[in-house]
Amino acid sequence: MSKHLLVTGGAGFIGSNFVNYWYENHPQDKIIVLDALTYAGNRQNLINLENNPNFSFIHGDICDRQLVDNLLEKEKITTIAHFAAESHVDRSILTPSAFIQTNVIGTFTLLESFRHYWQKKNQPPEYRFLHVSTDEVYGSLDINDPPFTENTPYAPNSPYSASKAGSDHLARAYYHTYKLPTIITNCSNNYGAYHFPEKLIPLMCINILLGKPLPVYGDGQNIRDWLYVQDHCSALDVVLNKGKSGETYNIGGNNEVKNIDLVQLICQIMDEIAPNLPIKPSNELITYVKDRAGHDHRYAIDSSKLQKELGWKPKATVESGLRKTLQWYVDNPQWWQSLLSADYQKYYQQVYTTINS
Ligand code: NAD
Ligand code: DAU
């Protein structure tokens, strides 16, 4: 049976990769994207689908209960894939209130709306509410700790991760209280095409192309577990089609790398693939700056539950995923140049001169 998906945040980085992935693999399904087009949302990311009769885009806020109620009814939604969020840790340190509004109140609004709709339809068991979350809710690991499992206690350390933890608890509670068929996924750091240049990988890549300093926080020894976004999309496909409601699945890339080693690798690949770099070798641009407040030391995901129960595993290595990603930025300067607005420069100034310098 074909699905009718409501994809929240579908104009953002992971959401748009997911929508494009879903059409390639399930062209018969209907997708309605609901996105507020904040600084992080970009309709260009969905340009290939604009004329597809199975696709529509609604510009709106997930906190708007009336809008969500109407959309569920009108589009006969069977599945919500919920990506919409404020997603950047540094912005949550500067302006936490937007994170509470969208991540907590917005998720609550969607859950309430979906609960009433699902109950009115006599609780179809195949309906799904997929809540896309993060490994940051588990807090920070020391170097010798085992990776996060689905049973690791929550210990969020930033306003961002605390707001995501709150939304996870709501999704969990709606299953336990109402049996609403929710599934939670907690994934590690994604990277790939359409990634907004506030996050480490696109920021380093674009600064190399512009000959600007590469700001590494603290001593550069923090570790992240990098997940190529296409691998994340294939995991979400498996979870939506085979996952059990009420369950949580961790999704990781099995690719733990220290920040400074990742930045050195980015420099090395960019020196190979990008023509006419203003500064070469580009690692001359590396600049250590003041650390992020409350900076989590290490994230690492144990995704053996997803591997054993649903048969998924990531395909990309950091090197293979990075090569594709960096090549995409080199080939698509018009995409990222259009994002370097006055607002972006203001944000950059705030983070890199006020907080992290
Ligand atoms: P993003 O910031 O690139 O995109 C977020 C999207 O949500 C944007 O299109 C934005 O316009 C939209 N949005 C924001 N507020 C909204 C609102 N109130 N109503 C409707 N739309 C709104 O984020 P991303 O990196 O694609 O992350 C997607 C999801 O995955 C988030 O829930 C995030 O917490 C989670 N996640 C991200 C990563 C990562 O590495 N990027 C890792 C783990 C989990
Ligand atoms: O782990 C999943 C999380 O990954 C997601 O939930 C978040 O939405 C996503 O933004 C990401 O969070 P991080 O804070 O880990 O990602 P970011 O790209 O901001 O930073 C990655 C690492 O690089 C982190 O240790 C901070 C460091 N860093 C980041 C920037 C932007 C720098 O050293 N310099 C920088 O300029």
Side-chain angles (χ1 to χ4, degrees):
M1 215 181 70
S2 71
K3 292 188 190 348
H4 287 202
L5 287 106
L6 178 66
V7 180
T8 72
F13 162 50
I14 306 176
S16 62
N17 275 284
F18 174 81
V19 172
N20 285 306
Y21 170 97
W22 200 269
Y23 269 117
E24 269 169 41
N25 292 280
H26 308 282
Q28 75 288 354
D29 288 347
K30 209 166 173 211
I31 295 194
I32 292 87
V33 166
L34 172 61
D35 198 296
L37 296 178
T38 66
Y39 78 92
N42 187 347
R43 279 194 76 165
Q44 285 302 313
N45 301 358
L46 301 167
I47 198 80
N48 295 338
L49 301 168
E50 285 295 335
N51 297 320
N52 186 322
N54 277 343
F55 171 77
S56 27
F57 182 87
I58 310 294
H59 183 192
D61 193 322
I62 58 166
C63 301
D64 183 343
R65 175 69 191 273
Q66 192 67 57
L67 172 70
V68 178
D69 285 353
N70 292 344
L71 265 181
L72 296 180
E73 285 289 351
K74 177 168 168 262
E75 302 291 352
K76 301 185 174 52
I77 297 299
T78 62
T79 306
I80 295 186
H82 176 35
F83 296 88
E86 289 294 334
S87 69
H88 191 40
V89 174
D90 292 319
R91 287 187 195 256
S92 85
I93 297 168
L94 287 171
T95 48
S97 66
F99 288 72
I100 305 306
Q101 182 63 20
T102 287
N103 300 358
V104 182
I105 307 292
T107 302
F108 168 69
T109 306
L110 288 172
L111 284 164
E112 263 299 86
S113 179
F114 194 58
R115 171 171 84 86
H116 284 283
Y117 167 76
W118 173 76
Q119 286 173 335
K120 211 168 111 192
K121 296 253 180 269
N122 293 323
Q123 313 190 352
E126 73 281 11
Y127 280 25
R128 285 288 179 276
F129 186 107
L130 171 66
H131 176 65
V132 177
S133 190
T134 171
D135 60 359
E136 297 201 13
V137 297
Y138 299 124
S140 181
L141 295 168
D142 285 333
I143 194 73
N144 294 319
D145 288 339
F148 303 126
T149 72
E150 290 78 3
N151 297 321
T152 302
Y154 273 36
N157 289 319
S158 71
Y160 162 68
S161 53
S163 68
K164 290 298 289 186
S167 64
D168 292 12
H169 291 324
L170 285 167
R172 179 181 188 278
Y174 270 65
Y175 173 75
H176 282 271
T177 308
Y178 306 109
K179 295 288 170 274
L180 189 75
T182 63
I183 297 182
I184 301 170
T185 54
N186 296 91
C187 70
S188 58
N189 288 59
N190 282 226
Y191 66 104
Y194 305 119
H195 205 181
F196 193 84
E198 62 191 352
K199 309 280 167 55
L200 180 71
I201 290 177
L203 186 135
M204 294 295 160
C205 172
I206 287 167
N207 282 12
I208 290 170
L209 290 167
L210 297 173
K212 285 177 62 180
L214 307 178
V216 173
Y217 296 165
D219 59 6
Q221 297 300 302
N222 304 66
I223 294 169
R224 297 292 182 265
D225 175 0
W226 292 96
L227 173 65
Y228 187 49
V229 69
Q230 294 295 317
D231 281 332
H232 185 196
C233 293
S234 72
L236 297 179
D237 188 348
V238 168
V239 166
L240 273 175
N241 283 304
K242 299 204 273 180
K244 274 175 57 185
S245 64
E247 291 290 322
T248 292
Y249 298 95
N250 278 358
I251 309 171
N254 227 358
N255 279 314
E256 280 186 64
V257 189
K258 280 183 192 156
N259 289 346
I260 186 61
D261 295 342
L262 186 80
V263 174
Q264 287 285 4
L265 181 58
I266 293 171
C267 291
Q268 187 195 311
I269 298 174
M270 289 298 283
D271 287 350
E272 278 174 44
I273 67 169
N276 308 322
L277 286 177
I279 306 284
K280 201 168 166 179
S282 46
N283 65 5
E284 284 177 9
L285 293 165
I286 291 175
T287 310
Y288 288 92
V289 297
K290 191 175 154 197
D291 211 354
R292 171 186 277 172
H295 196 175
D296 284 338
H297 182 64
R298 171 177 167 238
Y299 306 141
I301 279 270
D302 176 346
S303 41
S304 53
K305 175 176 173 185
L306 186 56
Q307 303 200 16
K308 281 191 203 121
E309 293 184 12
L310 306 185
W312 172 88
K313 62 173 195 255
K315 289 195 183 123
T317 61
V318 168
E319 167 111 26
S320 70
L322 260 188
R323 279 189 183 274
K324 285 190 220 164
T325 304
L326 299 175
Q327 190 66 55
W328 186 86
Y329 281 87
V330 170
D331 293 343
N332 291 281
Q334 72 297 344
W335 184 86
W336 53 264
Q337 278 162 357
S338 70
L339 304 175
L340 308 182
S341 61
D343 279 351
Y344 177 81
Q345 306 301 349
K346 190 172 157 207
Y347 159 78
Y348 201 93
Q349 186 78 4
Q350 273 181 304
V351 173
Y352 295 97
T353 53
T354 318
I355 303 184
N356 293 330
S357 66

